[in-house]
Coordinates of all heavy atoms in Angstrom, one line a residue:
M896 N -20.0 23.8 8.9 CA -19.1 23.1 8.0 C -18.8 21.8 8.6 O -18.4 21.7 9.8 CB -17.9 23.9 7.8 CG -16.9 23.3 6.9 SD -15.6 24.5 6.6 CE -14.3 23.4 6.1
S897 N -19.0 20.7 7.8 CA -18.7 19.4 8.3 C -17.3 19.0 8.1 O -16.6 19.4 7.2 CB -19.6 18.4 7.5 OG -19.2 17.1 7.8
T898 N -16.7 18.3 9.1 CA -15.3 17.8 9.0 C -15.3 16.3 8.7 O -14.2 15.8 8.6 CB -14.6 18.1 10.3 OG1 -15.3 17.4 11.4 CG2 -14.5 19.6 10.6
T899 N -16.5 15.7 8.5 CA -16.5 14.3 8.2 C -16.2 14.2 6.7 O -16.9 14.8 5.8 CB -17.9 13.8 8.4 OG1 -18.3 14.0 9.8 CG2 -18.0 12.3 8.1
P900 N -15.2 13.4 6.4 CA -14.8 13.2 4.9 C -15.9 12.5 4.2 O -16.6 11.6 4.7 CB -13.6 12.4 5.0 CG -13.4 11.8 6.3 CD -14.3 12.6 7.2
R901 N -16.1 12.9 2.9 CA -17.0 12.2 2.0 C -16.5 10.8 1.8 O -15.3 10.6 1.7 CB -17.1 13.0 0.7 CG -18.1 12.4 -0.3 CD -18.3 13.4 -1.5 NE -17.0 13.6 -2.2 CZ -16.5 12.8 -3.1 NH1 -17.2 11.8 -3.5 NH2 -15.4 13.1 -3.7
R902 N -17.4 9.8 1.7 CA -17.0 8.4 1.4 C -17.1 8.1 -0.1 O -18.0 8.6 -0.8 CB -17.9 7.5 2.2 CG -17.8 7.7 3.7 CD -16.5 7.3 4.3 NE -16.3 5.9 4.4 CZ -15.2 5.2 4.7 NH1 -14.2 5.9 5.0 NH2 -15.2 3.9 4.7
I903 N -16.2 7.3 -0.5 CA -16.2 6.9 -1.9 C -16.1 5.3 -1.9 O -15.8 4.7 -0.9 CB -15.0 7.4 -2.7 CG1 -13.6 7.0 -2.1 CG2 -15.1 9.0 -2.8 CD1 -12.4 7.4 -3.0
T904 N -16.4 4.8 -3.0 CA -16.3 3.3 -3.2 C -15.4 3.0 -4.4 O -15.6 3.6 -5.4 CB -17.7 2.7 -3.5 OG1 -18.6 3.0 -2.4 CG2 -17.6 1.2 -3.6
V905 N -14.5 2.2 -4.1 CA -13.5 1.7 -5.2 C -13.6 0.2 -5.3 O -14.1 -0.5 -4.3 CB -12.1 2.2 -5.0 CG1 -12.0 3.7 -4.9 CG2 -11.5 1.6 -3.7
T906 N -13.1 -0.4 -6.3 CA -12.9 -1.8 -6.4 C -11.5 -2.2 -6.4 O -10.7 -1.6 -7.1 CB -13.6 -2.4 -7.6 OG1 -13.1 -1.9 -8.8 CG2 -15.1 -2.2 -7.6
L907 N -11.2 -3.2 -5.6 CA -9.8 -3.8 -5.5 C -9.9 -5.2 -6.1 O -10.5 -6.1 -5.4 CB -9.3 -3.8 -4.1 CG -9.3 -2.5 -3.3 CD1 -8.8 -2.8 -1.9 CD2 -8.5 -1.5 -4.0
N908 N -9.5 -5.4 -7.3 CA -9.7 -6.7 -8.0 C -11.1 -7.2 -7.9 O -11.4 -8.3 -7.5 CB -8.7 -7.8 -7.4 CG -7.3 -7.6 -7.9 OD1 -7.0 -6.7 -8.7 ND2 -6.4 -8.4 -7.4
N909 N -12.0 -6.3 -8.2 CA -13.5 -6.5 -8.2 C -14.1 -6.6 -6.8 O -15.3 -6.9 -6.7 CB -13.8 -7.8 -9.0 CG -13.4 -7.6 -10.4 OD1 -13.6 -6.5 -11.0 ND2 -12.8 -8.6 -11.0
A910 N -13.4 -6.4 -5.7 CA -14.0 -6.4 -4.4 C -14.2 -4.9 -4.0 O -13.3 -4.1 -4.1 CB -13.0 -7.0 -3.4
R911 N -15.5 -4.6 -3.7 CA -15.8 -3.2 -3.4 C -15.4 -2.9 -2.0 O -15.7 -3.6 -1.1 CB -17.3 -3.0 -3.6 CG -17.8 -3.1 -5.0 CD -19.3 -3.2 -5.1 NE -19.9 -2.1 -4.5 CZ -20.4 -1.0 -5.2 NH1 -20.2 -1.0 -6.5 NH2 -21.0 0.0 -4.6
V912 N -14.7 -1.7 -1.9 CA -14.4 -1.2 -0.5 C -14.7 0.3 -0.5 O -14.7 0.9 -1.5 CB -12.9 -1.4 -0.2 CG1 -12.5 -2.9 -0.2 CG2 -12.0 -0.6 -1.1
T913 N -15.0 0.8 0.7 CA -15.2 2.2 0.9 C -14.0 2.8 1.5 O -13.2 2.2 2.2 CB -16.5 2.5 1.8 OG1 -16.3 1.8 3.0 CG2 -17.7 1.9 1.1
A914 N -13.8 4.1 1.2 CA -12.7 4.9 1.7 C -13.1 6.3 1.8 O -14.1 6.7 1.3 CB -11.5 4.7 0.8
D915 N -12.2 7.1 2.5 CA -12.5 8.5 2.6 C -12.0 9.2 1.3 O -10.9 8.9 0.7 CB -11.7 9.2 3.7 CG -12.2 8.7 5.1 OD1 -13.3 8.3 5.2 OD2 -11.4 8.8 6.0
A916 N -12.8 10.1 0.8 CA -12.4 10.9 -0.4 C -11.1 11.6 0.0 O -10.9 12.1 1.1 CB -13.5 11.9 -0.8
G917 N -10.2 11.7 -1.0 CA -8.9 12.4 -0.8 C -7.8 11.4 -0.4 O -6.6 11.8 -0.4
Q918 N -8.1 10.2 -0.1 CA -7.0 9.2 0.2 C -6.3 8.8 -1.1 O -6.9 8.7 -2.2 CB -7.6 7.9 0.8 CG -8.0 8.1 2.3 CD -8.4 6.7 2.8 OE1 -9.4 6.2 2.5 NE2 -7.5 6.2 3.7
S919 N -5.0 8.5 -1.0 CA -4.3 8.0 -2.2 C -4.7 6.5 -2.3 O -5.2 5.9 -1.4 CB -2.8 8.1 -2.0 OG -2.4 7.2 -1.0
V920 N -4.5 6.0 -3.5 CA -4.7 4.6 -3.7 C -3.9 3.8 -2.8 O -4.3 2.8 -2.2 CB -4.4 4.2 -5.2 CG1 -4.4 2.7 -5.4 CG2 -5.5 4.9 -6.1
G921 N -2.6 4.2 -2.6 CA -1.7 3.4 -1.7 C -2.3 3.4 -0.3 O -2.2 2.4 0.4
A922 N -2.8 4.5 0.2 CA -3.4 4.6 1.5 C -4.6 3.6 1.7 O -4.7 3.0 2.7 CB -3.8 6.0 1.9
I923 N -5.4 3.6 0.6 CA -6.5 2.6 0.7 C -6.0 1.2 0.8 O -6.5 0.4 1.6 CB -7.4 2.9 -0.5 CG1 -8.1 4.2 -0.4 CG2 -8.5 1.7 -0.6 CD1 -8.9 4.6 -1.7
L924 N -5.1 0.9 -0.1 CA -4.5 -0.5 0.0 C -4.0 -0.8 1.4 O -4.2 -1.9 1.9 CB -3.5 -0.7 -1.1 CG -4.0 -0.7 -2.5 CD1 -2.9 -0.5 -3.5 CD2 -4.8 -1.9 -2.8
M925 N -3.2 0.1 1.9 CA -2.6 -0.2 3.2 C -3.7 -0.3 4.3 O -3.6 -1.1 5.2 CB -1.6 0.9 3.6 CG -0.4 1.0 2.7 SD 0.7 -0.5 2.8 CE 1.5 -0.2 4.4
G926 N -4.7 0.6 4.1 CA -5.8 0.5 5.1 C -6.6 -0.8 5.0 O -7.2 -1.2 6.0
E927 N -6.6 -1.4 3.9 CA -7.2 -2.7 3.8 C -6.3 -3.9 4.2 O -6.6 -5.1 4.0 CB -7.7 -3.0 2.3 CG -8.8 -2.0 1.9 CD -10.1 -2.3 2.7 OE1 -10.5 -3.5 2.9 OE2 -10.7 -1.3 3.2
G928 N -5.1 -3.5 4.7 CA -4.1 -4.5 5.1 C -3.3 -5.1 4.0 O -2.6 -6.1 4.2
I929 N -3.3 -4.5 2.9 CA -2.6 -5.0 1.7 C -1.2 -4.3 1.7 O -1.2 -3.1 1.5 CB -3.4 -4.8 0.4 CG1 -4.7 -5.5 0.5 CG2 -2.5 -5.2 -0.8 CD1 -5.7 -5.1 -0.6
K930 N -0.2 -5.0 2.0 CA 1.1 -4.4 2.1 C 2.0 -4.5 0.8 O 3.0 -3.8 0.7 CB 1.9 -4.9 3.3 CG 1.1 -4.6 4.6 CD 1.9 -5.0 5.8 CE 1.3 -4.4 7.0 NZ 0.9 -5.3 8.0
A931 N 1.6 -5.5 0.0 CA 2.3 -5.7 -1.3 C 1.3 -6.0 -2.4 O 0.3 -6.7 -2.1 CB 3.4 -6.8 -1.1
W932 N 1.6 -5.5 -3.6 CA 0.6 -5.8 -4.7 C 1.3 -6.0 -6.0 O 0.6 -6.0 -7.1 CB -0.4 -4.7 -4.8 CG 0.1 -3.3 -4.8 CD1 0.6 -2.5 -5.8 CD2 0.3 -2.4 -3.6 NE1 1.0 -1.3 -5.4 CE2 0.8 -1.2 -4.1 CE3 0.0 -2.6 -2.3 CZ2 1.0 -0.1 -3.2 CZ3 0.2 -1.5 -1.4 CH2 0.7 -0.3 -1.9
R933 N 2.5 -6.2 -6.0 CA 3.2 -6.6 -7.2 C 4.5 -7.3 -6.9 O 4.9 -7.2 -5.7 CB 3.5 -5.4 -8.2 CG 4.6 -4.5 -7.7 CD 4.8 -3.4 -8.7 NE 6.0 -2.7 -8.4 CZ 7.2 -3.0 -8.9 NH1 7.4 -4.0 -9.7 NH2 8.3 -2.3 -8.5
T934 N 5.1 -8.0 -7.8 CA 6.4 -8.6 -7.6 C 7.4 -8.1 -8.6 O 7.0 -7.7 -9.7 CB 6.4 -10.1 -7.6 OG1 5.8 -10.5 -8.9 CG2 5.5 -10.7 -6.5
T935 N 8.7 -8.1 -8.3 CA 9.7 -7.6 -9.2 C 9.8 -8.6 -10.4 O 9.6 -9.8 -10.2 CB 11.1 -7.4 -8.5 OG1 11.4 -8.7 -7.9 CG2 11.0 -6.4 -7.4
R936 N 10.2 -8.0 -11.5 CA 10.2 -8.8 -12.8 C 11.2 -10.0 -12.7 O 10.9 -11.1 -13.1 CB 10.6 -7.9 -13.9 CG 10.4 -8.5 -15.3 CD 10.7 -7.5 -16.4 NE 10.3 -6.1 -16.0 CZ 10.8 -5.0 -16.5 NH1 11.7 -5.0 -17.4 NH2 10.3 -3.8 -16.0
N937 N 12.4 -9.7 -12.2 CA 13.5 -10.7 -12.2 C 13.5 -11.6 -11.0 O 13.7 -12.8 -11.2 CB 14.8 -10.0 -12.4 CG 15.0 -9.3 -13.7 OD1 14.5 -9.8 -14.7 ND2 15.7 -8.2 -13.7
E938 N 13.3 -11.1 -9.9 CA 13.5 -11.9 -8.7 C 12.2 -12.3 -8.0 O 12.1 -13.0 -7.0 CB 14.4 -11.3 -7.7 CG 15.8 -11.1 -8.3 CD 16.8 -10.5 -7.3 OE1 16.7 -10.8 -6.1 OE2 17.6 -9.6 -7.7
G939 N 11.1 -11.7 -8.4 CA 9.8 -12.0 -7.9 C 9.6 -11.6 -6.4 O 8.8 -12.1 -5.7
K940 N 10.3 -10.5 -6.1 CA 10.2 -10.0 -4.7 C 9.0 -9.1 -4.6 O 8.7 -8.3 -5.4 CB 11.4 -9.2 -4.3 CG 12.7 -10.1 -4.2 CD 13.9 -9.4 -3.7 CE 15.0 -10.4 -3.5 NZ 16.2 -9.7 -3.1
A941 N 8.3 -9.2 -3.4 CA 7.1 -8.4 -3.2 C 7.4 -6.9 -3.1 O 8.4 -6.5 -2.5 CB 6.4 -8.9 -1.9
R942 N 6.5 -6.1 -3.6 CA 6.6 -4.7 -3.5 C 5.3 -4.0 -3.3 O 4.2 -4.5 -3.7 CB 7.2 -4.1 -4.9 CG 8.6 -4.5 -5.2 CD 9.5 -3.8 -4.2 NE 10.9 -4.0 -4.5 CZ 11.7 -5.0 -4.0 NH1 11.1 -5.8 -3.1 NH2 12.9 -5.1 -4.3
G943 N 5.3 -2.9 -2.5 CA 4.1 -2.1 -2.2 C 4.6 -0.7 -2.0 O 5.5 -0.2 -2.7
L944 N 4.1 0.0 -1.0 CA 4.6 1.3 -0.6 C 6.0 1.3 -0.1 O 6.3 0.4 0.8 CB 3.7 2.0 0.4 CG 2.4 2.6 -0.1 CD1 1.7 3.3 1.0 CD2 2.5 3.5 -1.3
F945 N 6.9 2.1 -0.5 CA 8.2 2.2 0.1 C 8.5 3.7 0.4 O 8.5 4.0 1.6 CB 9.3 1.7 -0.9 CG 10.7 1.7 -0.3 CD1 11.0 0.9 0.8 CD2 11.7 2.5 -0.8 CE1 12.3 1.0 1.4 CE2 12.9 2.5 -0.3 CZ 13.2 1.8 0.8
C946 N 8.7 4.5 -0.6 CA 9.0 5.9 -0.3 C 7.8 6.7 0.1 O 7.8 7.6 0.9 CB 9.8 6.6 -1.4 SG 8.7 6.9 -2.9
G947 N 6.7 6.4 -0.6 CA 5.4 7.1 -0.4 C 5.3 8.5 -1.0 O 4.4 9.2 -0.7
I948 N 6.4 8.9 -1.7 CA 6.4 10.2 -2.3 C 6.6 10.2 -3.8 O 7.0 11.3 -4.4 CB 7.4 11.1 -1.6 CG1 8.8 10.5 -1.7 CG2 7.0 11.4 -0.2 CD1 9.9 11.4 -1.2
G949 N 6.5 9.1 -4.5 CA 6.6 9.1 -5.9 C 8.0 8.9 -6.5 O 8.2 9.1 -7.7
A950 N 9.0 8.6 -5.6 CA 10.4 8.5 -6.1 C 10.8 7.1 -6.4 O 11.7 7.0 -7.3 CB 11.3 9.1 -5.1
C951 N 10.3 6.1 -5.8 CA 10.9 4.8 -6.0 C 10.2 3.9 -7.0 O 10.8 2.9 -7.4 CB 10.9 4.0 -4.6 SG 9.3 3.5 -4.1
Y952 N 9.0 4.1 -7.3 CA 8.2 3.3 -8.3 C 7.9 1.9 -7.8 O 7.6 1.0 -8.6 CB 8.9 3.3 -9.7 CG 8.8 4.6 -10.4 CD1 9.6 5.7 -10.0 CD2 7.9 4.8 -11.4 CE1 9.6 6.9 -10.7 CE2 7.9 6.0 -12.1 CZ 8.7 7.0 -11.7 OH 8.6 8.2 -12.4
D953 N 8.1 1.6 -6.5 CA 7.8 0.3 -6.0 C 6.3 0.0 -6.0 O 5.9 -1.1 -5.9 CB 8.3 0.2 -4.6 CG 9.8 -0.4 -4.6 OD1 10.3 -0.6 -5.6 OD2 10.3 -0.6 -3.4
C954 N 5.5 1.1 -5.9 CA 4.0 0.9 -5.7 C 3.2 0.8 -7.0 O 2.0 1.1 -6.9 CB 3.6 2.1 -4.9 SG 3.7 3.7 -5.7
L955 N 3.8 0.5 -8.1 CA 3.0 0.5 -9.3 C 1.8 -0.4 -9.3 O 1.9 -1.5 -8.8 CB 4.0 0.1 -10.5 CG 5.1 1.0 -10.7 CD1 6.0 0.5 -11.9 CD2 4.7 2.4 -11.0
V956 N 0.7 0.1 -9.8 CA -0.5 -0.6 -9.8 C -1.3 -0.2 -11.1 O -1.0 0.8 -11.7 CB -1.3 -0.3 -8.5 CG1 -1.7 1.2 -8.5 CG2 -2.4 -1.2 -8.2
T957 N -2.3 -1.0 -11.4 CA -3.2 -0.7 -12.6 C -4.4 0.0 -12.0 O -5.1 -0.6 -11.2 CB -3.5 -2.0 -13.3 OG1 -2.3 -2.6 -13.8 CG2 -4.4 -1.7 -14.5
I958 N -4.7 1.1 -12.6 CA -5.9 1.9 -12.2 C -6.7 2.2 -13.4 O -6.2 2.8 -14.4 CB -5.4 3.2 -11.5 CG1 -4.6 2.9 -10.2 CG2 -6.7 4.1 -11.1 CD1 -4.0 4.1 -9.6
D959 N -8.0 1.8 -13.3 CA -8.9 2.0 -14.5 C -8.3 1.6 -15.8 O -8.4 2.3 -16.8 CB -9.4 3.5 -14.5 CG -10.3 3.8 -13.4 OD1 -10.9 2.9 -12.8 OD2 -10.4 5.0 -13.0
G960 N -7.6 0.4 -15.8 CA -7.0 -0.1 -17.0 C -5.7 0.4 -17.4 O -5.1 0.0 -18.3
Q961 N -5.2 1.4 -16.7 CA -3.9 2.1 -17.0 C -2.8 1.5 -16.1 O -2.8 1.7 -14.9 CB -4.0 3.6 -16.7 CG -4.9 4.3 -17.6 CD -4.5 4.4 -19.1 OE1 -3.3 4.6 -19.3 NE2 -5.4 4.1 -20.0
P962 N -1.9 0.7 -16.7 CA -0.9 0.0 -15.8 C 0.2 1.0 -15.4 O 0.3 2.1 -15.9 CB -0.3 -1.0 -16.8 CG -0.5 -0.5 -18.2 CD -1.8 0.3 -18.1
N963 N 1.0 0.6 -14.4 CA 2.2 1.3 -14.0 C 1.8 2.7 -13.4 O 2.6 3.7 -13.6 CB 3.2 1.4 -15.1 CG 3.6 0.1 -15.5 OD1 3.8 -0.8 -14.7 ND2 3.8 -0.1 -16.9
Q964 N 0.8 2.8 -12.6 CA 0.4 4.1 -11.9 C 1.0 4.0 -10.5 O 0.9 2.9 -9.9 CB -1.1 4.2 -11.9 CG -1.8 4.2 -13.2 CD -1.3 5.4 -14.1 OE1 -1.4 6.5 -13.7 NE2 -0.7 5.1 -15.3
R965 N 1.5 5.1 -10.0 CA 2.1 5.1 -8.7 C 1.0 5.3 -7.7 O 0.4 6.3 -7.6 CB 3.2 6.2 -8.6 CG 4.5 5.8 -9.3 CD 5.4 6.9 -9.3 NE 5.0 7.9 -10.3 CZ 5.7 9.0 -10.6 NH1 6.7 9.4 -9.9 NH2 5.2 9.8 -11.5
A966 N 0.7 4.2 -6.9 CA -0.4 4.2 -5.9 C -0.2 5.3 -4.9 O -1.2 5.8 -4.4 CB -0.5 2.9 -5.3
C967 N 1.0 5.7 -4.6 CA 1.2 6.7 -3.6 C 0.9 8.1 -4.0 O 0.7 9.0 -3.2 CB 2.7 6.7 -3.1 SG 3.9 7.2 -4.3
L968 N 0.8 8.3 -5.3 CA 0.5 9.7 -5.9 C -0.9 9.9 -6.4 O -1.3 11.0 -6.5 CB 1.5 10.0 -7.0 CG 3.0 10.1 -6.7 CD1 3.8 10.5 -7.9 CD2 3.2 11.1 -5.5
V969 N -1.6 8.8 -6.7 CA -2.9 8.9 -7.3 C -4.0 9.0 -6.2 O -4.1 8.1 -5.4 CB -3.2 7.7 -8.2 CG1 -4.6 7.8 -8.8 CG2 -2.2 7.6 -9.3
E970 N -4.7 10.1 -6.3 CA -5.9 10.3 -5.4 C -7.0 9.4 -5.9 O -7.4 9.5 -7.0 CB -6.3 11.7 -5.3 CG -7.4 12.0 -4.4 CD -7.8 13.5 -4.3 OE1 -6.9 14.3 -4.3 OE2 -9.0 13.8 -4.2
A971 N -7.5 8.6 -5.0 CA -8.6 7.7 -5.4 C -9.9 8.5 -5.7 O -10.2 9.5 -5.0 CB -8.9 6.7 -4.2
C972 N -10.7 8.0 -6.6 CA -11.9 8.6 -7.0 C -13.0 7.6 -6.9 O -12.8 6.4 -7.0 CB -11.9 9.1 -8.4 SG -10.6 10.3 -8.8
D973 N -14.2 8.0 -6.7 CA -15.4 7.1 -6.6 C -15.5 6.3 -7.9 O -15.2 6.8 -9.0 CB -16.7 8.0 -6.4 CG -17.8 7.1 -5.9 OD1 -17.5 6.2 -5.0 OD2 -18.9 7.4 -6.2
S974 N -15.7 5.0 -7.7 CA -15.9 4.0 -8.8 C -14.6 3.7 -9.5 O -14.6 3.0 -10.5 CB -16.9 4.5 -9.9 OG -18.1 4.8 -9.3
M975 N -13.4 4.0 -8.9 CA -12.1 3.7 -9.5 C -11.9 2.2 -9.4 O -12.3 1.6 -8.4 CB -11.1 4.4 -8.7 CG -9.7 4.3 -9.2 SD -8.5 5.3 -8.3 CE -8.5 6.8 -9.3
N976 N -11.3 1.6 -10.4 CA -11.1 0.2 -10.4 C -9.5 0.0 -10.3 O -8.8 0.4 -11.2 CB -11.6 -0.5 -11.7 CG -11.4 -2.0 -11.7 OD1 -11.4 -2.6 -10.7 ND2 -11.1 -2.5 -12.9
I977 N -9.1 -0.7 -9.2 CA -7.7 -0.8 -8.9 C -7.4 -2.3 -9.0 O -8.0 -3.1 -8.3 CB -7.4 -0.3 -7.5 CG1 -7.8 1.2 -7.4 CG2 -5.9 -0.5 -7.1 CD1 -8.1 1.7 -6.0
E978 N -6.4 -2.6 -9.8 CA -6.0 -4.0 -10.0 C -4.5 -4.2 -9.6 O -3.7 -3.4 -10.0 CB -6.2 -4.4 -11.4 CG -7.7 -4.3 -11.8 CD -7.8 -4.5 -13.3 OE1 -7.7 -3.5 -14.1 OE2 -8.1 -5.6 -13.7
G979 N -4.3 -5.4 -9.0 CA -2.9 -5.7 -8.7 C -2.9 -7.1 -8.1 O -3.9 -7.8 -8.0
D980 N -1.7 -7.6 -7.8 CA -1.5 -8.9 -7.2 C -1.5 -8.7 -5.7 O -0.4 -8.6 -5.1 CB -0.2 -9.5 -7.7 CG 0.1 -10.9 -7.2 OD1 -0.9 -11.4 -6.5 OD2 1.1 -11.5 -7.4
F981 N -2.7 -8.6 -5.2 CA -2.8 -8.2 -3.8 C -2.4 -9.4 -2.8 O -2.4 -9.2 -1.6 CB -4.2 -7.8 -3.5 CG -4.6 -6.6 -4.3 CD1 -5.9 -6.4 -4.8 CD2 -3.7 -5.5 -4.5 CE1 -6.3 -5.3 -5.6 CE2 -4.1 -4.4 -5.2 CZ -5.3 -4.3 -5.8
D982 N -2.0 -10.5 -3.4 CA -1.5 -11.6 -2.5 C 0.0 -11.6 -2.6 O 0.7 -12.6 -2.1 CB -2.1 -12.9 -3.0 CG -3.6 -12.9 -2.8 OD1 -4.0 -12.4 -1.8 OD2 -4.2 -13.5 -3.6
A983 N 0.7 -10.6 -3.2 CA 2.1 -10.6 -3.5 C 2.9 -10.7 -2.1 O 2.4 -10.2 -1.1 CB 2.6 -9.4 -4.3
Ligands
FES1869 S1 6.0 4.3 -2.9 FE1 7.7 5.1 -3.9 S2 6.8 5.8 -5.8 FE2 5.1 5.2 -4.7

């Protein structure tokens, strides 16, 4: 039995990156050094992972065209397209 995780490929704003299967979208973003990917509506403050357990909604991101997905809860899949303001 192999303990090496299967690798998947996702796109971050059209940039292809590889990750381990089973990682959350938020984990992939943090692994790529992206700490914020959206800004607040009223004050424009940068947001990314905060609670990491689905409670705060700070980590909202667009996944496969579906906006407002919690990056900390969504398990990444091969060929997933993840969009956000990765320069936030
Ligand atoms: S980091 Fe809080 S809901 Fe995702």
Side-chain angles (χ1 to χ4, degrees):
M896 182 172 156
S897 172
T898 58
T899 303
R901 185 174 58 86
R902 300 293 286 174
I903 61 172
T904 301
V905 301
T906 58
L907 306 178
N908 285 355
N909 298 317
R911 292 168 59 97
V912 300
T913 58
D915 291 340
Q918 284 189 287
S919 71
V920 169
I923 292 172
L924 290 168
M925 294 295 284
E927 291 296 313
I929 301 169
K930 295 187 171 121
W932 47 86
R933 73 177 191 91
T934 55
T935 58
R936 190 175 327 154
N937 293 327
E938 296 182 38
K940 293 185 176 178
R942 292 290 185 265
L944 285 183
F945 182 65
C946 73
I948 58 171
C951 73
Y952 289 76
D953 271 3
C954 64
L955 298 179
V956 68
T957 299
I958 299 172
D959 289 337
Q961 297 290 317
N963 301 322
Q964 302 298 302
R965 285 173 283 179
C967 66
L968 295 183
V969 177
E970 182 177 322
C972 301
D973 200 36
S974 303
M975 184 176 266
N976 184 31
I977 303 158
E978 298 170 275
D980 182 4
F981 299 140
D982 297 323

